[in-house]
Amino acid sequence: GKEKQKYVIGFSQCTSDPWREAVILEMQIEASNYKNVELVVYNALGNNSRQISQIRKLISQNVDALIISPNEAIPITDVAVEAYEKGIPTIIHDRKIKSDKYTVSIGANNYNIGLAIGEYINNILSPGSKILEIWGLEGSSPAIERHEGFIAALNKNNDYKINEVYGKWQYNLALEETKKISSYNDIDLIFAHNDIMAIAARDEIMRRDSLVARRIKFIGIDGVYGDNSGIEAVANGNFEASFQYPTGGALAIQVAIDILNGKLVKKNYILNTTIIDKTNAKTILAQSEQLNNYQVRINRQKEEELNLLSRFRFLRNSTFLILGL
Ligand code: FRU
């Protein structure tokens, strides 16, 4: 029979950290369900100009669809629009660009996440409390939107004192910023725009004064499953709360394949999020563990299937050889 056409999907990933690794893993697993789909991944490691040249490389390789997770909105906009205008189906994943010239966008509503965190804080802090906000990268849309939602929700009558520092989504930079603070005594709560920065702040404060670290409330975002992750931090009481920030990796691949198969897709996919706090952290942890176990088993089965297939092909080829065909 006629071979189905082969498709190459390019993914331009902006940086590397536990959440980003989860995105790639999900994409790879989803893509591996389709024998005619190849996924090509470039990682810009947090550098805008590297991401621009990697996207140009994917464009010149004539990928059939392009998924972009922009590092920062303004610098990546032109090259993303360039791909779109060349007729490549272009999916903007998680962080936004400054244009609506794209085929599909996939991501959660970060303003609403900020709002929910602000409202949560109104319920647990007394008036006049002091908050340290650790920002993600200032030019990336989730940082801006999380901040705006958070500020909008805080009860003005409570007159919270807010200090802002910039961790740019990174563990090491958040650690440096926390080190620079001379005293933690008047900090009541630390809200970091992602879990790894909240973990960094807590690690540093633990190192200096574990009693203070246990008094301060920490809130992060991502809720990635794994060792030293946000879910675990909430489950064991190190964090007050986190937010499960869906990776959208599998969906991005599905949508790319739908587009390539001529199916109708939406312009914007808004992913659902849930707060993780002490009421549900243990349940979410157990469920994530179970899902992870299923995935490990599925992968093992897939590998076995591949082994069987290649052994079968080898046998078939040797038969041809013996018969001299
Ligand atoms: C990972 C990350 C996540 C965050 C998301 C926002 O690179 O920083 O921690 O939720 O990107 O785009």
Side-chain angles (χ1 to χ4, degrees):
K2 206 177 139 219
E3 279 282 301
K4 234 178 154 191
Q5 192 187 338
K6 193 173 170 202
Y7 292 124
V8 179
I9 300 175
F11 175 42
S12 167
Q13 173 67 300
C14 54
T15 189
S16 172
D17 53 50
W19 191 83
R20 297 279 155 191
E21 298 319 314
V23 171
I24 293 181
L25 186 66
E26 250 196 48
M27 286 186 177
Q28 283 168 336
I29 289 170
E30 186 59 25
S32 74
N33 291 328
Y34 301 85
K35 301 223 160 29
N36 62 330
V37 170
E38 189 194 335
L39 178 66
V40 178
V41 181
Y42 285 116
N43 197 324
L45 302 175
N47 183 310
N48 291 324
S49 49
R50 189 182 293 138
Q51 183 162 36
I52 292 169
S53 63
Q54 290 178 337
I55 293 171
R56 291 242 157 78
K57 217 180 287 172
L58 287 165
I59 295 174
S60 69
Q61 287 168 3
N62 285 320
V63 291
D64 298 291
L66 182 58
I67 304 169
I68 300 174
S69 242
N71 190 50
E72 289 186 285
I74 293 170
I76 306 304
T77 297
D78 285 351
V79 71
V81 171
E82 195 179 305
Y84 175 75
E85 287 184 334
K86 286 209 160 110
I88 302 174
T90 303
I91 298 168
I92 305 297
H93 169 262
D94 174 41
R95 301 182 190 171
K96 296 176 181 167
I97 56 170
K98 287 270 182 205
S99 167
D100 55 11
K101 289 185 178 156
Y102 56 79
T103 316
V104 170
S105 85
I106 294 175
N109 185 326
N110 283 292
Y111 183 84
N112 284 348
I113 293 177
L115 271 183
I117 288 175
E119 281 159 9
Y120 188 94
I121 288 174
N122 289 332
N123 290 325
I124 60 167
L125 287 189
S126 45
S129 293
K130 299 198 174 58
I131 301 172
L132 175 68
E133 181 184 9
I134 306 180
W135 272 72
L137 200 57
E138 304 97 278
S140 69
S141 59
I144 298 163
E145 292 167 1
R146 286 170 190 182
H147 170 78
E148 283 173 353
F150 165 67
I151 296 296
L154 289 180
N155 185 342
K156 301 293 168 284
N157 298 327
N158 281 354
D159 196 25
Y160 298 125
K161 309 277 174 295
I162 304 170
N163 266 322
E164 298 171 33
V165 297
Y166 298 91
K168 303 185 189 298
W169 301 124
Q170 295 174 37
Y171 180 94
N172 287 338
L173 296 180
L175 195 81
E176 288 310 311
E177 289 302 319
T178 311
K179 262 190 195 151
K180 283 188 208 156
I181 298 168
S182 54
S183 164
Y184 306 125
N185 287 331
D186 57 1
I187 299 178
D188 297 296
L189 182 143
I190 296 182
F191 163 43
H193 289 181
N194 70 6
D195 285 340
I196 55 175
M197 296 192 296
I199 288 171
R202 191 172 187 281
D203 284 351
E204 178 57 22
I205 300 173
M206 268 304 267
R207 200 179 59 80
R208 263 165 58 182
D209 191 335
S210 63
L211 278 182
V212 174
R214 293 205 176 86
R215 176 186 56 76
I216 295 175
K217 296 179 164 61
F218 292 86
I219 297 182
I221 296 169
D222 277 349
V224 177
Y225 168 74
D227 289 341
N228 205 13
S229 72
I231 303 181
E232 204 183 67
V234 181
N236 65 25
N238 290 349
F239 279 11
E240 174 72 27
S242 178
F243 247 86
Q244 205 157 37
Y245 192 58
T247 69
L251 183 63
I253 297 295
Q254 279 162 20
V255 167
I257 291 172
D258 282 350
I259 295 171
L260 293 169
N261 288 331
K263 289 202 189 129
L264 216 59
V265 292
K266 290 194 290 187
K267 171 108 181 170
N268 300 301
Y269 288 80
I270 315 278
L271 305 175
N272 288 322
T273 55
T274 29
I275 191 157
I276 307 169
D277 62 13
K278 57 175 171 299
T279 66
N280 63 5
K282 292 219 163 74
T283 313
I284 292 178
L285 188 64
Q287 283 171 349
S288 308
E289 215 160 81
Q290 205 169 35
L291 274 178
N292 191 60
N293 289 341
Y294 281 133
Q295 194 56 59
V296 170
R297 258 184 282 163
I298 290 172
N299 289 353
R300 207 180 296 141
Q301 281 170 359
K302 264 191 204 158
E303 250 165 55
E304 241 151 67
E305 199 181 304
L306 281 177
N307 277 340
L308 277 176
L309 265 177
S310 68
R311 245 183 291 159
F312 171 71
R313 287 209 184 100
F314 174 74
L315 271 179
R316 207 174 54 172
N317 289 342
S318 0
T319 315
F320 285 137
L321 270 181
I322 294 166
L323 294 175
L325 289 174

